[in-house]
Amino acid sequence: MDLIHNLVKRLPSSQSLPSVTDTSQQQKNRISPRWAFFRRRVRLKGNSSISIPLGAVLLFPCIVIILILVLVVRHPSSPAGILMPAGAPPAIRKINEKYDKVFMTGCLDPQNKGPRANAAFVVLARNKELDGVVQSLKSIERHFNRWFHYPYVFLNDADFNSTFKETVANYTSAPVEFGKIDPSMWGYPDWVDSKVAKEGIAKQGDAAIMYGGMESYHHMCRFYSGFFYKHELLQKYTWYWRLEPEIKYFCDITYDPFIHMEIANKTYGFTIAVKELKETVPNIFRYASAYKRMNNLTSKGLWEMFIEPPPEEPKSLPTDDPSYRPPLPEEILKTEPGRGLLPEPDPEAMEEEKYNMCHFWSNFEIARLDWFRSKAYEDFFQMMDRSGGFWMERWGDAPIHSLAAGALLSPKDIHYFRDFGYRHTTIQHCPANAPARQLPRIPYLEMTTQDEKKRKEEDEYWESYDSEKENGVGCRCKCDTDIVDVEGKQGSCLAEWVGVAGGWASP
């Protein structure tokens, strides 16, 4: 027996067949090591009883990143716009070129030795505004005048000090002249009761009208409306480009706008059109309209930019329309109160026209000085001046220039500098760059910045410019992004300009 028992022990034992439960458990054990790390639960807080799988924690930021990428691609300012489907409408609309068109789309190689116009920059500033003047000089020199070297004329109602003159001369290689404004062009004229005028200004200050209580602001507006072009330092010039302290240009201007204004037979150029504050000019349109009527002037097509469109007549429904209701009999209508009476006149309308407050923003303008010196403009200014609106109200030079242009000029005389990027205070216009029309940028290391590192950093900022876009017109533009362009704000008058200029050329 012992021998048999030993033989049985030596025989190999057959393995038992696995059960269904065992098989499932083995498969689970083979899979679990692969996902065990992600199934591991993590507490939300150290002492919290709530926990979530680690995989969910890792997946959440991935979803956020994907959403951000999708939004960036779909944003209209993104270079990824090229991924948009074919046939998508352009982000920038073209304007009809019936009366006006962009002089130069994109960049040119600046012609340093080409002909020059009889033109100058005009800057009205005071000694205390030196920092703002330097900012403006650096901007216009970098983007334009380093190539064209047009002269500057600085004007002040007081004497410029030596610090101002020496500093300005350091920021440009162009000729510079400094002039003092004669008292006859600044202040109250002899025919005005200065006491009454000062009381009018004080009331505007009490009413919190913007700049209404600043006596010097009233004098400045009157000077720019009817006197700057009469200053002795400007008598030799045909064209002027107005430059304000604390302004910025965003695009390189690689052509001569004066020459192109002459070639196109233009009179006045603007880059921003906005609406005036109604409380500053409550009666200005009365006098402008009266001038037009007294001189038997008919609109040449520009006046309509500055008046509100007539109200649309209600359309009568066809008789088969479900909403149609037959009118009441005349016998019943005659019994209605007020029936047959004349409508109440609009106190703000003149000749059935009402001012829409639009004007060319004149802190930037390029214009022919011969037009300001013309008898027609002088007559217009004298009538506006004698009304007292420069003191009893806060009339600005912008609506004066604009309404004069509306009465005397036509849309073909006006040029919209759509390709100029420009900012003053919180109002900005900045175009997109023209596709396939950008040229390599020429470095500009202006030597007035003493710190070499800062000087290079300042130039390197402009090295990378904004992306090109369909229907863009600018040259190496780099726009400020802290504010929205004026065309995207309420109060822009671009639509009014487009309306008289021929309409939109693209949907």
Side-chain angles (χ1 to χ4, degrees):
M1 288 295 294
D2 291 338
L3 178 61
I4 296 173
H5 181 70
N6 290 334
L7 288 173
V8 172
K9 289 175 65 179
R10 290 176 181 272
L11 290 174
S13 59
S14 60
Q15 296 180 349
S16 60
L17 292 174
S19 66
V20 175
T21 305
D22 293 339
T23 303
S24 175
Q25 186 64 34
Q26 289 175 5
Q27 290 177 348
K28 185 177 179 180
N29 290 338
R30 284 198 301 267
I31 296 172
S32 61
R34 191 177 301 171
W35 301 102
F37 176 76
F38 295 100
R39 291 205 307 269
R40 183 179 179 182
R41 304 189 72 82
V42 180
R43 294 181 185 274
L44 295 179
K45 290 185 178 181
N47 57 353
S48 174
S49 61
I50 302 174
S51 64
I52 58 175
L54 180 60
V57 175
L58 298 176
L59 184 62
F60 178 74
C62 296
I63 295 173
V64 172
I65 292 172
I66 292 171
L67 288 173
I68 292 173
L69 290 174
V70 170
L71 291 174
V72 168
V73 168
R74 291 178 62 86
H75 195 276
S77 66
S78 171
I82 57 175
L83 301 178
M84 294 292 285
I92 303 166
R93 302 175 72 182
K94 294 185 68 175
I95 299 175
N96 191 300
E97 297 182 350
K98 180 180 180 180
Y99 298 115
D100 182 52
K101 62 180 180 180
V102 175
F103 288 147
M104 199 59 56
T105 300
C107 302
L108 286 180
D109 182 16
Q111 300 298 316
N112 296 338
K113 298 181 180 179
R116 292 290 180 269
N118 182 21
F121 291 99
V122 176
V123 188
L124 180 63
R126 289 177 165 163
N127 292 310
K128 64 182 180 181
E129 296 177 291
L130 180 57
D131 289 342
V133 168
V134 167
Q135 175 185 319
S136 301
L137 280 174
K138 291 177 70 174
S139 185
I140 195 65
E141 285 288 320
R142 171 178 294 280
H143 295 292
F144 171 76
N145 214 37
R146 59 162 157 157
W147 298 302
F148 296 94
H149 303 287
Y150 275 103
Y152 295 88
V153 176
F154 284 84
L155 301 177
N156 190 352
D157 64 313
D159 292 316
F160 285 110
N161 59 37
S162 57
T163 301
F164 188 97
K165 292 181 179 180
E166 291 169 3
T167 303
V168 165
N170 286 335
Y171 280 89
T172 179
S173 58
V176 182
E177 291 184 286
F178 299 92
K180 185 177 180 180
I181 300 171
D182 189 84
S184 63
M185 298 182 179
W186 193 275
Y188 303 104
D190 296 337
W191 48 266
V192 166
D193 186 332
S194 59
K195 183 178 179 180
V196 173
K198 289 180 179 180
E199 287 177 357
I201 293 173
K203 288 181 179 178
Q204 295 171 58
D206 294 340
I209 293 174
M210 182 178 286
Y211 306 128
M214 294 176 59
E215 187 175 357
S216 62
Y217 192 87
H218 289 259
H219 296 327
M220 181 271 291
C221 291
R222 183 171 178 262
F223 173 76
Y224 261 132
S225 294
F227 293 99
F228 80 95
Y229 49 88
K230 299 173 184 175
H231 194 279
E232 59 181 357
L233 292 182
L234 291 179
Q235 294 308 301
K236 56 181 175 287
Y237 294 113
T238 305
W239 294 90
Y240 104 111
W241 181 335
R242 180 166 165 180
L243 205 64
E244 290 283 312
E246 296 186 56
I247 55 93
K248 293 173 68 176
Y249 285 88
F250 302 114
C251 309
D252 284 345
I253 304 165
T254 54
Y255 67 92
D256 189 331
F258 297 118
I259 294 295
H260 282 267
M261 290 282 281
E262 284 187 344
I263 293 172
N265 197 28
K266 297 290 185 177
T267 299
Y268 186 93
F270 75 99
T271 190
I272 291 174
V274 291
K275 292 193 174 184
E276 182 60 283
L277 298 173
K278 189 175 181 179
E279 62 269 20
T280 65
V281 290
N283 290 293
I284 194 171
F285 189 70
R286 296 176 183 274
Y287 291 95
S289 181
Y291 167 83
K292 184 169 170 283
R293 183 180 67 254
M294 290 170 60
N295 289 275
N296 297 316
L297 298 176
T298 56
S299 172
K300 298 178 181 179
L302 186 61
W303 181 257
E304 285 71 19
M305 177 180 173
F306 306 108
I307 61 175
E308 290 187 358
E312 294 185 3
E313 294 291 335
K315 295 181 180 179
S316 57
L317 296 172
T319 55
D320 58 349
D321 191 289
S323 302
Y324 174 78
R325 296 290 182 274
L328 294 172
E330 188 66 24
E331 296 78 20
I332 298 177
L333 292 174
K334 285 181 179 179
T335 62
E336 288 188 357
R339 179 72 176 179
L341 298 178
L342 293 174
E344 288 290 329
D346 188 337
E348 297 181 1
M350 289 291 292
E351 301 290 315
E352 298 184 352
E353 295 176 338
K354 189 174 180 180
Y355 185 30
N356 62 9
M357 300 295 149
C358 283
H359 63 274
F360 302 124
W361 212 34
S362 61
N363 51 74
F364 166 91
E365 60 185 10
I366 296 177
R368 191 185 291 271
L369 290 170
D370 291 347
W371 177 63
F372 286 113
R373 297 175 183 133
S374 68
K375 183 180 185 302
Y377 182 86
E378 182 64 22
D379 290 346
F380 177 84
F381 169 72
Q382 289 297 331
M383 181 170 180
M384 304 302 284
D385 192 30
R386 291 280 175 170
S387 73
F390 287 110
W391 299 286
M392 306 313 292
E393 298 179 11
R394 203 229 68 193
W395 291 2
D397 52 274
I400 293 290
H401 291 184
S402 301
L403 291 171
L408 302 172
L409 301 177
S410 70
K412 66 180 177 60
D413 299 317
I414 309 298
H415 181 64
Y416 174 27
F417 283 101
R418 192 176 189 178
D419 54 319
F420 282 23
Y422 175 78
R423 174 174 178 170
H424 181 51
T425 62
T426 58
I427 299 181
Q428 148 181 317
H429 162 75
C430 196
N433 285 314
R437 291 181 178 270
Q438 304 302 306
L439 295 177
R441 180 180 160 277
I442 305 168
Y444 180 64
L445 297 172
E446 53 92 12
M447 302 307 294
T448 53
T449 303
Q450 300 297 323
D451 188 335
E452 184 176 354
K453 181 181 177 182
K454 186 177 180 181
R455 183 164 64 245
K456 288 182 178 179
E457 288 176 349
E458 191 173 297
D459 189 66
E460 287 171 357
Y461 171 82
W462 297 100
E463 185 64 37
S464 60
Y465 39 85
D466 296 342
S467 59
E468 302 169 9
K469 291 186 180 179
E470 184 180 358
N471 291 337
V473 294
C475 170
R476 297 190 288 261
C477 303
K478 187 167 186 176
C479 308
D480 278 355
T481 58
D482 60 323
I483 57 173
V484 178
D485 271 18
V486 64
E487 291 82 5
K489 293 181 176 180
Q490 192 175 16
S492 169
C493 291
L494 177 61
E496 284 77 3
W497 161 249
V498 172
V500 299
W504 295 106
S506 62

